[in-house]
Amino acid sequence: MIWSVMFSKSPAGLDADLSGGFGRQLHDTAKTEVTLFAEYGVTRDLTLIAAPGFRRASVGASTSSGPGYFDLGARYQVFRKGAAVASVQGIARIPGASDPTVSANLGYTNAEYDLRGLFGYGFKLGENDAFVDIQAGYRFRTAGPADEVRGDLTFGYRVWPDVLLLAQSFNTVSVGAAEGVFRPTREHKLQVSAVYDINARLSVQAGSFATVRGENALRERAVFSAVWVRF
């Protein structure tokens, strides 16, 4: 179980032309998100997932506060050999916001469905443990936004027995047509964090992320902290 708090600001829009320049300005935004991510292993192969959240967002002069997305789903292990494992996962995302006329709710009032494949591999890097996690998915979005192809990459390195460093890349590309006020988007985020194991059951995490490239995307900058509890 991971309880996390994230603060982000987006002072401008980000343009993804090859020169890396900044293009059309979007409204300044600020967000605070609190999420509880919980997993429960029903069997060795089947894991249930639940992630309720709370969100406060400001977009220009518009502000919204209340429940965020509530994710419900499951992951099933389809292959394991040595330090390699492959799984499939399905998540239904239930929106907490309901009024699409509020600018701060735009894109957060529609149900979403995420299907993906995951592959992980653990190995030694020098004398220390390391791993990679690769995820590829397709997110079905309803009521206007275009569907999305998603690709995530995580590299973990245990620099000390009780300290894990994480470097992550999160990538989203719209596919198909967007309707109404929505536009096709492309977004690439980089995230770095450190996890400190207090004991076998409790860990704390701190890190930051930034949107480094994109099209019709916000230039988001964020910091976050989290508490991990194993049971």
Side-chain angles (χ1 to χ4, degrees):
M1 181 170 63
I2 301 175
W3 178 74
S4 62
V5 181
M6 183 272 291
F7 304 95
S8 73
K9 295 199 75 173
S10 306
L14 183 63
D15 187 9
D17 64 21
L18 295 179
S19 66
F22 296 100
R24 182 181 57 87
Q25 300 293 300
L26 303 177
H27 286 298
D28 290 355
T29 69
K31 286 191 299 184
T32 300
E33 292 184 310
V34 180
T35 304
L36 179 64
F37 179 84
E39 294 186 340
Y40 180 75
V42 180
T43 68
R44 190 188 74 165
D45 297 330
L46 178 63
T47 300
L48 301 182
I49 300 168
F54 175 88
R55 171 180 170 273
R56 177 179 174 83
S58 297
V59 179
S62 174
T63 299
S64 175
S65 208
Y69 273 103
F70 193 152
D71 292 1
L72 288 172
R75 182 170 61 250
Y76 187 77
Q77 180 178 287
V78 296
F79 171 83
R80 186 180 189 95
K81 185 174 182 180
V85 60
S87 306
V88 292
Q89 176 178 289
I91 298 287
R93 310 192 71 223
I94 304 164
S98 59
D99 187 354
T101 65
V102 176
S103 297
N105 287 341
L106 191 64
Y108 287 87
T109 61
N110 312 317
E112 301 179 349
Y113 306 93
D114 188 284
L115 300 175
R116 63 180 56 204
L118 306 87
F119 175 79
Y121 181 70
F123 57 96
K124 287 285 188 181
L125 189 59
E127 297 182 353
N128 297 336
D129 293 329
F131 72 89
V132 292
D133 177 81
I134 303 169
Q135 301 186 21
Y138 189 95
R139 180 165 296 183
F140 298 89
R141 306 188 70 192
T142 61
D147 292 348
E148 297 170 345
V149 171
R150 291 181 165 243
D152 302 336
L153 174 65
T154 298
F155 170 72
Y157 179 68
R158 194 161 284 280
V159 61
W160 293 299
D162 55 0
V163 176
L164 173 66
L165 301 182
L166 296 172
Q168 297 173 277
S169 173
F170 303 104
N171 306 279
T172 302
V173 179
S174 291
V175 293
E179 300 177 356
V181 298
F182 297 98
R183 300 184 180 187
T185 62
R186 183 164 62 87
E187 187 176 66
H188 306 282
K189 292 182 178 181
L190 294 180
Q191 176 173 300
V192 292
S193 64
V195 183
Y196 173 68
D197 297 333
I198 297 174
N199 53 46
R201 297 187 60 187
L202 183 65
S203 302
V204 291
Q205 179 184 17
S208 65
F209 71 80
T211 305
V212 293
R213 290 180 68 88
E215 183 177 6
N216 293 325
L218 293 168
R219 189 172 60 153
E220 192 171 15
R221 302 291 185 264
V223 294
F224 67 92
S225 59
V227 176
W228 299 21
V229 180
R230 304 169 186 87
F231 58 91

